[in-house]
């Protein structure tokens, strides 16, 4: 198993140049996952109770799995935040598979380049050594 000790939320935020709202969202995810361990057979009722105690605004996962939403203003960098979440989940929780949903082929193709093409100027994983795709 890899050693990703340096990949703290502060390190990820710094290397990915996250803005304050993105950093806050990453720290919220970290806080939640320090209290609810991601697992295949997660007790959703117990998980929701723990998340609700931390963040009372969360009252329902709305799915048959733990589902969290983060609301950010337009132009803040939701794709970059998605990359930070992926980096965090991979380095701290050994999660290696991600399913990204896009509202259409235009957005899908942009996400595919931003998340998967290191030669793209908007590639979100620049500087994230553990995710260098070469």
């Amino acid at each position: 198993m890899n050693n990703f000790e340096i990949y703290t939320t502060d390190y990820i935020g710094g290397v990915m140049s996250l803005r304050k709202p993105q950093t806050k969202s990453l720290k919220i995810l970290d806080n939640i996952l320090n209290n609810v361990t991601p697992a295949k057979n997660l007790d959703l009722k117990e998980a929701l109770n723990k998340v609700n105690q931390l963040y009372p605004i969360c009252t329902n996962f709305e799915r048959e799995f733990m589902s969290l939403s983060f609301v950010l203003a337009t132009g803040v960098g939701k794709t970059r935040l998605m990359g930070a979440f992926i980096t965090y989940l991979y380095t701290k929780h050994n999660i290696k598979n991600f399913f990204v949903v896009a509202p259409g082929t235009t957005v899908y193709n942009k996400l595919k380049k931003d998340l998967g093409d290191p030669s793209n100027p908007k590639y979100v994983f620049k500087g994230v050594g553990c995710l260098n795709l070469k």
Side-chain angles (χ1 to χ4, degrees):
M1 184 157 193
N2 293 319
N3 185 352
F4 297 122
E5 288 180 23
I6 65 167
Y7 286 89
T8 63
T9 55
D10 289 333
Y11 178 83
I12 294 168
V15 80
M16 295 186 77
S17 302
L18 297 184
R19 296 175 179 163
K20 284 183 182 181
Q22 296 162 317
T23 300
K24 181 179 179 185
S25 295
L26 182 59
K27 287 184 182 283
I28 289 170
L29 179 66
D30 179 53
N31 189 30
I32 289 170
L33 294 184
N34 283 328
N35 288 279
V36 178
T37 304
K40 283 186 180 182
N41 296 315
L42 183 67
D43 181 334
L44 286 179
K45 188 175 181 180
E46 181 182 334
L48 180 60
N49 185 45
K50 287 180 182 179
V51 173
N52 179 259
Q53 287 175 2
L54 295 168
Y55 302 98
I57 194 168
C58 182
T59 58
N60 190 331
F61 290 145
E62 298 180 4
R63 302 283 185 269
E64 296 300 316
F65 53 87
M66 190 166 132
S67 174
L68 303 170
S69 296
F70 292 81
V71 179
L72 296 171
T74 301
V76 170
K78 289 178 277 302
T79 302
R80 184 160 294 282
L81 178 61
M82 188 183 330
F85 282 3
I86 289 169
T87 302
Y88 171 82
L89 292 167
Y90 175 68
T91 59
K92 294 298 173 196
H93 297 281
N94 199 33
I95 296 173
K96 298 177 182 173
N97 298 295
F98 300 91
F99 182 71
V100 178
V101 178
T105 56
T106 302
V107 174
Y108 170 76
N109 289 330
K110 180 188 178 308
L111 282 171
K112 200 168 154 184
K113 281 185 163 187
D114 291 351
L115 296 171
D117 181 1
S119 67
N120 178 19
K122 292 192 172 188
Y123 179 62
V124 300
F125 298 114
K126 280 186 182 144
V128 180
C130 69
L131 295 175
N132 278 344
L133 304 173
K134 291 186 182 183

